[in-house]
Amino acid sequence: MKILNLIIGCIILFAAGCKERNTQSGKQGITPEFLRCEYLVDPEGIDTKNPRLSWYSESEQREQVQTAYQVLVASSLSNLEADNADLWNTGKVLSDSSAYIPYKGKELSSGMQ
């Protein structure tokens, strides 16, 4: 069953809250890296309707941590770029978790991309 390669791409747009412990440089921000879906990077297909999503948080600044995330999943790249998460929008989730977040959106079907 091939389900939504877009799930991997959608995590890029997650709104990570960050708690900066060292503010001397003035730079802020963390980004999700090494995006995975069911343990795979850029899977061609997956065989579950509720895949688990994972990522690592990266920052150029020291001692920044993820304090929240938001996952958007859309049926098309144009919807995703317009912040139209027509399949799933977690809303802001206050959590430092970034491993095995289960998909809980609209039902996915075979062949979706």
Side-chain angles (χ1 to χ4, degrees):
M1 180 184 308
K2 185 174 182 177
I3 300 177
L4 232 74
N5 292 338
L6 201 49
I7 289 175
I8 297 295
C10 76
I11 298 175
I12 294 172
L13 298 179
F14 89 106
C18 65
K19 182 177 182 182
E20 188 170 8
R21 296 181 186 149
N22 178 357
T23 59
Q24 293 176 358
S25 70
K27 287 188 176 181
Q28 291 190 42
I30 55 177
T31 57
E33 300 291 336
F34 194 57
L35 309 174
R36 296 176 313 283
C37 179
E38 286 299 311
Y39 306 97
L40 303 170
V41 176
D42 295 328
E44 288 293 319
I46 53 175
D47 61 357
T48 181
K49 291 187 178 188
N50 297 98
R52 293 164 294 178
L53 310 173
S54 302
W55 61 88
Y56 291 134
S57 297
E58 296 282 331
S59 176
E60 291 184 15
Q61 300 301 305
R62 302 180 99 199
E63 299 188 35
Q64 287 192 347
V65 295
Q66 173 187 310
T67 59
Y69 67 86
Q70 180 175 10
V71 177
L72 305 174
V73 180
S75 59
S76 70
L77 184 57
S78 60
N79 279 347
L80 190 61
E81 289 172 341
D83 290 335
N84 177 15
D86 58 341
L87 296 177
W88 187 40
N89 183 348
T90 63
K92 184 176 182 178
V93 178
L94 298 175
S95 174
D96 62 355
S97 294
S98 62
Y100 316 118
I101 308 300
Y103 174 81
K104 295 182 181 176
K106 292 181 182 175
E107 185 174 341
L108 304 175
S109 61
S110 181
M112 289 181 79
Q113 294 193 10

